[in-house]
Every structure is written in structure tokens, then in C-alpha cells.
Amino acid sequence: GGLPKVDLPKHLTDSRWARCAVVSGQSDPEIQQHPWYWNQSQFFATPPGVSCFNKSPEYAHGGLSLQECLIPDLLIEHSGDRQVRVTIKAIEWHSLRCQIEVSCSGAGGSYISADLRNAHPAGISVVANIKPLTEDSKVSLVLAGDEYLEAELVLVLLDQDGNILVQKPTKIGQNS
């Protein structure tokens, strides 16, 4: 049967659509009005609820959308400083074992883990186990096998959610 219609005489508007109308000059229709944010002296009118200014429309630009009917209340809270600043201080290779020393500062650095990946940061893990940093900001990783002896590897340090904090290319035998 269409959406409910609200009367808004055409002579009070410069232009009118189903869900909004530009109010003409100093007109003051008895309907909800709002100023344009770029011109506080110019107003537009909106019908209440799901009503329209046109006669019983059932469809207009995709029909009546949820976004036109509801205004969400969002509560955004900051739970503290979670910024972590991490740098890789040293990488030393001893056969298939990679020993890493890291510098870590800032809150949220309580759990950082290290991984070695094949070819690029999103590559597959090549270590036997991904390990967390020790209290002295060090970790030792062992390659899963010798098939990666000549491979280009990437050392990645991860936060508790698995996001990459820092990365550095490396290769077996190349200490930095």
C-alpha cells in the first residue's frame, strides 16, 4: 500500500523528493527542519519516521533503507595506550638456529612472538615452533628442516592478535 504520506505544499519548497525537501527562502513549514552544515541559514525538511512527501511511494533509490530509519548510538572507548614500538637489534644464525634480540618499548608489549617465514611476511612459517620473547627480549627459533638452507626468509614479530609489528629479511648464515 505504500509508505505514509506527509503533506508539504510545493510553494514552501525549492525542490522536493520523497524523503527530503529544500525549504524555500523564509518559508517555515510545520515539519522537522535542519540546517545544511555548510550554510546554517539554508534549511531542508524531512518527514517523520518512514513517511514520504510523495503519494504512497513503494520504491525510491532502493526503497526505504534501515539507515534512513535508525540512528545508532556508538560508544567508543580507549582502553589505554597499546602502542608498542619494537625494533630488531640483532639476528645471529648458528646452523639452523636463529637467535634474535629485540628492543621493545611502550604498553601492550607483554606478549610478542617471533616467526620466520618463507619469501615474504605473509609466507608460510618455516620454524618448528613460533615462540614468544623472553623477559630479556630475546628468542631462539629453530628451522623445521634443512630445505630452507638457501631460502630468502623474513623474520616477523607478532602481537598477541597475530598482527605483524616489525619485519626484517634474513638468510641462514647472514648475521645482522
Side-chain angles (χ1 to χ4, degrees):
L3 300 170
K5 183 182 184 305
V6 170
D7 288 323
L8 178 63
K10 287 186 179 184
H11 70 276
L12 297 177
T13 64
D14 287 335
S15 54
R16 187 175 68 176
W17 302 274
R19 298 284 300 143
C20 70
V22 176
V23 177
S24 178
Q26 299 299 317
S27 299
D28 190 18
E30 293 181 20
I31 193 128
Q32 189 173 10
Q33 297 179 57
H34 309 280
W36 295 104
Y37 73 88
W38 63 85
N39 184 351
Q40 297 292 315
S41 64
Q42 185 72 32
F43 290 85
F44 67 94
T46 58
V50 295
S51 301
C52 290
F53 292 131
N54 299 344
K55 186 177 179 184
S56 302
E58 292 181 11
Y59 176 85
H61 290 287
L64 190 62
S65 68
L66 179 63
Q67 292 86 347
E68 290 178 311
C69 297
L70 298 177
I71 299 173
D73 286 330
L74 301 177
L75 175 62
I76 300 170
E77 294 179 340
H78 187 270
S79 62
D81 185 18
R82 293 193 45 91
Q83 288 289 82
V84 178
R85 287 166 289 291
V86 181
T87 55
I88 299 168
K89 291 173 64 176
I91 299 174
E92 291 185 24
W93 284 95
H94 302 280
S95 187
L96 297 179
R97 181 176 301 273
C98 181
Q99 293 180 326
I100 302 137
E101 186 177 349
V102 173
S103 172
C104 180
S105 63
S110 60
Y111 182 83
I112 296 175
S113 59
D115 190 11
L116 283 167
R117 297 182 177 176
N118 192 22
H120 51 86
I124 62 166
S125 179
V126 298
V127 296
N129 292 310
I130 297 172
K131 291 185 177 178
L133 294 179
T134 60
E135 288 183 19
D136 60 349
S137 297
K138 294 181 181 180
V139 67
S140 179
L141 300 172
V142 178
L143 290 183
D146 60 1
E147 63 268 22
Y148 303 106
L149 285 172
E150 299 298 320
E152 297 290 328
L153 304 174
V154 178
L155 170 64
V156 292
L157 298 178
L158 309 164
D159 67 10
Q160 62 191 16
D161 297 321
N163 300 312
I164 297 174
L165 299 171
V166 68
Q167 64 191 31
K168 187 171 185 177
T170 187
K171 195 170 185 179
I172 294 176
Q174 290 181 347
N175 295 332
S176 60

